Amino acid sequence: MGILRFFKNSSILESNIVQTGASAGEALVAGTAFILPALIILHYWQHFDYWQTVIISLTGGILGILFSIPLRRVLLADPTLRFPEGTAIGQVLKISQEEGKGNLKEIIQGGLLGAFVALFQSGFQIIADNFPLWFKADNKFIFGFTFGFEPALLAAGYIVGIGVALSTLLGVAIGWIIGIPIFSYLHPLAIATNQSASSLATSIWQTSIRPIGVGTMLVGGLWTMILLIKPIIKGVHSSFVSLRTIKESGYTSLPKHERDIPINYTLGLLGILILPLGYILFSFINHPALGLTNTIQIITLVIGIVFILITGFFFSSLCGYFAGLIGSSQSPISGVSLSVLLFASLTLLAIFSWAPGFTHDTKHLLEGEGLAIIIGTLVSSSCAITNDTIQDLKAGQIVGATPWKQQVILILGVVVSALILAPTLELLFNAYGIGGISPPGRHMDPAQMLSAPQATLMASLVAGAFKHNLPWDLLGIGFAVAIFCIIIDRILQERGMRLAVLAV
């Protein structure tokens, strides 16, 4: 906005289109960087192959934008979804154009306050952004809590409202206040170490509480999708109605806020994307170390493409709903990625069980794990982009932008980000090492490496699935939590209140 003010005829729509294109970068990086380094950790890749990384991230990112086109009509029309970041961006853009009305002064004051706190937290490291209070009780169990302070989350909480905030707090209580003490009591050997109570709590959450959250999210997500089926069908139908209107009366006959990329172009682009999808998958499926016959290779390829399209749309819808409910910055993209990898691994295992050449040999398992990671990355990057794109489209709705122009600039943002992402990951790997793995021919201090906690978790989940060692007991607890929350939510709705299972 500051740069554009140097131009006499700059407008709020130009400011919005710039932030829309730029925001695609961090979303694509998040979706890809959560999973793709798992290939390094599993020793499947020795380095980040440039063109494979570009094609994977580019294809997944554009898929996410295409999925968001019919979802825009559904999610932005839901009055229960607040879209905290999109709402904030839209209001900031509007207020920036209303000088002399006093609102810009409050925006600047709020921005300065947030900048001041961030400077002393991240810059000078004088103010902590969290305060852990964890204790060991006779080396039998640990208990406590971590208090956090982030000004941005105060603002997001103000926008999403008390209902969603309390639902999120309930999830915190189940995982941290109740779950960690109970788990540590049932597994006393796990805490009989010299680690601090705080680091033990984080470790237990990563390995044992998070799968409960994944289980809760799977059932909660399935329930949410059941509720969204009718609106999604209605949204897709309205896209075709818009197409008929365009053919009969021209594009300008549509209201400005309804002008998406036409659904026939969307489906055409989706069809074109099947080519790079097939190329990516076949380059891994065709590897001799996987030991698949030609027939099984074709079956795996077809099922893989269908799996990516179906689960990609399912989880992208879920992420779009998350974005509206609790915001993009708080959406559990890594949890969604874990769910995708779980489904991908189980699907591949089901296919390979019919393949005579696939055994439990280490090489075969590693190739299968690598293929699951690739499929997971494609879906995860599409989910992350949809999660972010919906916020941009909400901001555009507030300021009166034309959706198709935002969608085009988002595709451009994904292209630029994909080209930059691959060398950035390779540079970071060569400079620091990732997840305890050093670049070939070099030895690095593990304490100085990038820990890549999400990618490490993804690698362990996929390896566990292929070795038939998944934590079904923990996932089952998550299923039970979700069912309980759904029942309570139905009861509360009769009283005008909500318990949002996905926020939990």
Side-chain angles (χ1 to χ4, degrees):
M1 287 189 292
I3 293 170
L4 286 173
R5 280 181 183 273
F6 287 107
F7 297 87
K8 185 166 59 174
N9 296 321
S10 67
S11 72
I12 189 173
L13 298 178
E14 288 173 327
S15 295
N16 181 59
I17 208 76
V18 171
Q19 75 82 19
T20 297
S23 70
E26 59 92 13
L28 186 67
V29 169
T32 306
F34 277 157
I35 299 188
L36 203 61
L39 294 175
I40 299 287
I41 294 166
L42 288 170
H43 299 284
Y44 185 86
W45 275 1
Q46 300 302 309
H47 66 96
F48 290 97
D49 182 273
Y50 180 79
W51 285 112
Q52 283 188 333
T53 304
V54 168
I55 295 171
I56 290 167
S57 56
L58 182 62
T59 305
I62 295 178
L63 268 177
I65 294 168
L66 297 181
F67 289 150
S68 72
I69 292 172
L71 289 173
R72 183 194 71 82
R73 296 171 179 268
V74 179
L75 298 176
L76 266 59
D78 189 335
T80 65
L81 302 179
R82 303 293 185 88
F83 297 95
E85 289 93 346
T87 301
I89 291 165
Q91 294 299 338
V92 167
L93 287 168
K94 281 179 69 176
I95 290 169
S96 71
Q97 302 295 312
E98 298 173 0
E99 291 183 60
K101 295 187 178 180
N103 289 326
L104 188 60
K105 180 181 177 183
E106 279 77 12
I107 286 287
I108 293 171
Q109 288 173 342
L112 288 174
L113 176 61
F116 176 81
V117 174
L119 176 65
F120 279 82
Q121 282 182 335
S122 304
F124 300 143
Q125 297 185 350
I126 295 173
I127 303 175
D129 57 6
N130 65 78
F131 182 62
L133 277 175
W134 289 93
F135 307 95
K136 284 184 183 179
D138 300 326
N139 271 349
K140 290 183 179 178
F141 71 100
I142 58 175
F143 65 95
F145 195 70
T146 299
F147 296 91
F149 178 68
E150 293 185 38
L153 291 186
L154 288 175
Y158 176 78
I159 295 171
V160 300
I162 191 71
V164 172
L166 288 176
S167 299
T168 307
L169 185 60
L170 176 61
V172 172
I174 292 170
W176 294 86
I177 299 174
I178 299 171
I180 288 176
I182 290 176
F183 184 88
S184 62
Y185 181 78
L186 295 174
H187 301 83
L189 291 178
I191 66 165
T193 68
N194 293 325
Q195 283 184 277
S196 67
S198 178
S199 60
L200 280 170
T202 303
S203 176
I204 291 171
W205 178 78
Q206 282 273 13
T207 57
S208 304
I209 302 300
R210 201 176 225 182
I212 297 175
V214 170
T216 304
M217 187 175 63
L218 285 173
V219 174
L222 184 61
W223 175 250
T224 302
M225 282 303 296
I226 290 170
L227 298 178
L228 287 176
I229 283 175
K230 275 190 177 179
I232 286 175
I233 292 172
K234 188 177 177 182
V236 173
H237 178 259
S238 70
S239 296
F240 282 102
V241 170
S242 298
L243 182 62
R244 190 163 61 244
T245 304
I246 293 168
K247 288 180 178 178
E248 292 173 357
S249 309
Y251 203 64
T252 54
S253 63
L254 284 178
K256 188 178 177 182
H257 64 276
E258 290 296 325
R259 298 177 191 173
D260 291 293
I261 292 177
I263 193 69
N264 56 335
Y265 289 1
T266 304
L267 293 174
L269 282 170
L270 202 58
I272 292 170
L273 280 183
I274 290 176
L275 296 175
L277 267 182
Y279 169 76
I280 294 164
L281 293 181
F282 193 71
S283 63
F284 289 89
I285 293 168
N286 193 38
H287 200 286
L290 199 52
L292 303 180
T293 62
N294 291 336
T295 304
I296 297 294
Q297 285 182 20
I298 294 170
I299 291 171
T300 306
L301 178 63
V302 172
I303 292 176
I305 292 172
V306 173
F307 178 91
I308 290 168
L309 295 176
I310 292 175
T311 60
F313 186 74
F314 174 86
F315 283 107
S316 292
S317 303
L318 208 56
C319 283
Y321 192 84
F322 270 131
L325 189 69
I326 57 176
S328 304
S329 57
Q330 295 307 299
S331 293
I333 296 296
S334 57
V336 170
S337 302
L338 283 169
S339 305
V340 171
L341 279 178
L342 179 64
F343 282 130
S345 300
L346 295 177
T347 302
L348 289 175
L349 281 170
I351 298 170
F352 295 160
S353 65
W354 296 90
F358 186 86
T359 67
H360 284 278
D361 178 79
T362 304
K363 283 186 177 180
H364 286 176
L365 289 176
L366 181 60
E367 290 296 325
E369 291 163 9
L371 181 58
I373 293 289
I374 295 300
I375 292 173
T377 305
L378 285 160
V379 177
S380 176
S381 54
S382 74
C383 293
I385 283 291
T386 302
N387 184 58
D388 185 81
T389 298
I390 291 293
Q391 297 287 5
D392 292 319
L393 294 172
K394 176 64 178 179
Q397 182 190 57
I398 291 171
V399 301
T402 307
W404 76 263
K405 294 181 179 179
Q406 287 187 279
Q407 289 152 0
V408 168
I409 202 72
L410 281 163
I411 292 174
L412 179 61
V414 164
V415 172
V416 173
S417 303
L419 294 172
I420 298 299
L421 172 62
T424 303
L425 286 173
E426 181 72 3
L427 180 68
L428 290 171
F429 179 49
N430 288 328
Y432 300 102
I434 289 179
I437 308 299
S438 300
R442 299 172 63 188
H443 176 73
M444 294 180 170
D445 181 5
Q448 301 297 320
M449 288 185 183
L450 301 174
S451 59
Q454 282 93 349
T456 302
L457 189 61
M458 308 295 170
S460 63
L461 177 82
V462 171
F466 275 82
K467 293 179 176 65
H468 302 282
N469 190 27
L470 285 170
W472 287 111
D473 52 342
L474 299 173
L475 291 168
I477 294 171
F479 298 160
V481 170
I483 293 168
F484 175 78
C485 289
I486 290 167
I487 293 170
I488 297 297
D489 182 45
R490 301 299 285 181
I491 295 170
L492 288 176
Q493 281 184 47
E494 297 172 2
R495 294 165 174 78
M497 296 179 286
R498 290 296 309 271
L499 178 68
V501 60
L502 290 181
V504 176

